[in-house]
Amino acid sequence: MARTLPGIRLVLTYRREWLAKDLVAGVVLTTLLVPQGMAYAELAGLPPITGLYTSIFCLLGYAMFGPSRILLLGPDSSLGPMIAATILPLAGANGDPARAVALASLLAIMVAVIMIVAAVAKLGFVADLISKPTMIGYLNGLALTILVGQLPKLFGFKVDANGLIGEFVAFVQGLAGGEAVLAAAIVGIAGTALILVLQRWLPKVPAVLVMVVLAIGAVPLFHLAQHGVDLVGVLPKGFPPLTIPHVSVADFGLLFAGALGIALVSLGDTISTSSAFAARTGQEVRGNAEMVGIGVANLAAGLFQGFPVSTSGSRTAVAQQSGAKTQLTGVTGAVLIILMIVLLPGLFRNLPQPALAAVVITASLSLADLPGVARLWRQRRTEFALCVAAFLGVALLGVLPGIAIAVGLSILNVFRHAWWPYRTVLGRMSGVPGYHDIRSYPNAQRLPGLVLFRFDGPLFFANASSFRDEVRRLARAEPPPAWIVVAAEPVTDVDTTAADMLEALDEELSAGGTSLVFSELKDPVRRKIERYQLTRTGDPRHLYPTVEAAVSAFRRQTGAEWGGGTADRRESSTTD
């Protein structure tokens, strides 16, 4: 069991000197867990108490099965809109809270099953399906979506609209129609400003806790309830029972689609966060083990009226700064929340709803990465375009379509690089060993009758025709080259489609008096070429171990000498 369960192993290896630090960090962590859990529950369209249930059981589940000693899971601002987009259309126009909770709980269980099955299949690499530029665009779109969605709550009224543009228009119309509650707006705006100021200038101060305490104190002092400010009210008392969610079979399709997106975002967030903190603590990141930990955390939350969870970078950072050493920090936080909801359910009854909106809005701002967008604009315009496309996908089409667009764009970007890899002609530069790209060395020399062609990618069905067309263009030079030598060191694979293309191309070039020659073939690729029997049409001697060997053979055969002029830069092409 110690080998299988990281929690058991931690107990057996626990050091006494860690105890005080873990307990203190757990107390500090709880001050963040409670208001964030309640706020993110409402962001997901669920009652605030479900955020506390979720926090309790995901912390306990990950403490037992999670491989990281420091990582903390819980309700997350990036998942809230995805959960809401999945369950609210199914909960019905009346928004029945019990049905919404059941749907969210089943969604968490589905995420758990996806994670655990993927871990058993060792599919941890799927976290790489979203590239950083598309993730930046997705999170920026998500931040804007969350911000606009919380503005009515911040100003004390509600809107009946869907989508970013619809919600923004409805918010502006509500303001113009005088629906805003002045006292609520003051609480919300002041709370947002206070959190941002404290986070900027006093980062060690628990900004969210300070704002929440002041907001609760302001309610009786200024009689905010009589001025139209909505309050959280008394939370349900008692420990949540083990509950198997019951939903219609017709709901499974949309729930499963949402679960896939949530699992992908949660895994990507967890891997990146765990990598960052592992680098600081000297621990090793194990992707498949993390998937098990996330899966069990979601399963535990789903069985006790919770909703899907992910890693929280902010809560993990707070725990680490407070001296946390192990997962006992999270367990301490879970125990304290249990004591609160069992013994003090009315502790947050005077918490204004605009204060919760302030918590969510400040969290959404932390998701945005405008400097990252500016860097992409400066460094690589194509990836900037991917970022903008992912942003527009979330902002205009919604959160779930947005994550699908982000994944699709990332995959298409990979395919684009494979379909049209960098290719160039090489030449020799005096005083510089080897053969080099003529774009970098425009005065590089070339042997008359010889073209050294480099193709920087695997040869497969998608790019076989582009390889063929480029070689044909080189062969049409006047006078035509006697040899076209492919510097094939970057070619990592040749599939059967490409092999058929090479066979036909070799016969075509030979008919025109040009030999197709390969150099620096990797051993696995060379074995494939021999297995495809390409040497049946091509000269077996035209496979050279190095470019230099091919050049020497050409010179011996033709008597060509260096100094035959400078390279023509038009004989190569490239893509971004």
Side-chain angles (χ1 to χ4, degrees), residues 140-366:
N140 284 339
L142 192 61
L144 183 60
T145 300
I146 294 172
L147 175 63
V148 171
Q150 291 294 305
L151 285 177
K153 185 176 176 181
L154 193 76
F155 282 78
F157 65 97
K158 297 180 180 179
V159 298
D160 185 15
N162 293 315
L164 177 67
I165 296 176
E167 289 181 344
F168 182 73
V169 170
F171 168 68
V172 173
Q173 291 174 343
L175 285 182
E179 296 182 33
V181 177
L182 179 60
I186 292 174
V187 171
I189 295 173
T192 302
L194 180 61
I195 293 175
L196 294 176
V197 168
L198 290 178
Q199 288 177 341
R200 176 66 178 85
W201 299 107
L202 297 171
K204 293 186 178 181
V205 174
V208 172
L209 176 63
V210 171
M211 188 277 294
V212 166
V213 170
L214 291 177
I216 291 175
V219 169
L221 183 63
F222 297 104
H223 307 288
L224 295 181
Q226 284 74 33
H227 289 84
V229 178
D230 291 333
L231 306 178
V232 169
V234 178
L235 298 175
K237 183 177 180 180
F239 196 74
L242 173 66
T243 305
I244 305 299
H246 295 284
V247 300
S248 170
V249 175
D251 297 334
F252 273 64
L254 183 55
L255 286 175
F256 183 72
L260 282 175
I262 290 170
L264 183 59
V265 172
S266 179
L267 177 61
D269 191 24
T270 299
I271 295 298
S272 60
T273 304
S274 61
S275 298
F277 283 95
R280 301 180 193 177
T281 59
Q283 299 181 49
E284 180 184 353
V285 177
R286 294 181 292 152
N288 292 311
E290 288 291 359
M291 293 174 78
V292 172
I294 303 170
V296 173
N298 277 281
L299 179 62
L303 292 175
F304 289 89
Q305 301 179 30
F307 51 85
V309 297
S310 178
T311 301
S312 170
S314 62
R315 289 188 286 269
T316 303
V318 167
Q320 187 183 52
Q321 292 168 3
S322 303
K325 296 297 181 182
T326 69
Q327 286 295 331
L328 181 59
T329 296
V331 173
T332 302
V335 171
L336 290 177
I337 297 175
I338 292 172
L339 293 176
M340 188 201 77
I341 62 177
V342 171
L343 303 178
L344 299 169
L347 184 62
F348 289 90
R349 65 179 180 275
N350 285 336
L351 177 60
Q353 291 284 359
L356 288 181
V359 174
V360 174
I361 286 174
T362 53
S364 72
L365 295 178
S366 68

Side-chain angles (χ1 to χ4, degrees), residues 41 43-47 80-92 95-97 99-108 251 254-255 258 262 307-308 400:
L43 177 62
L46 299 166
M82 299 182 71
I83 297 169
T86 304
I87 67 172
L88 293 186
L90 300 176
D96 179 15
R99 176 164 166 74
V101 170
L103 290 167
S105 298
L106 184 58
L107 186 63
D251 297 334
L254 183 55
L255 286 175
I262 290 170
F307 51 85
L400 291 180

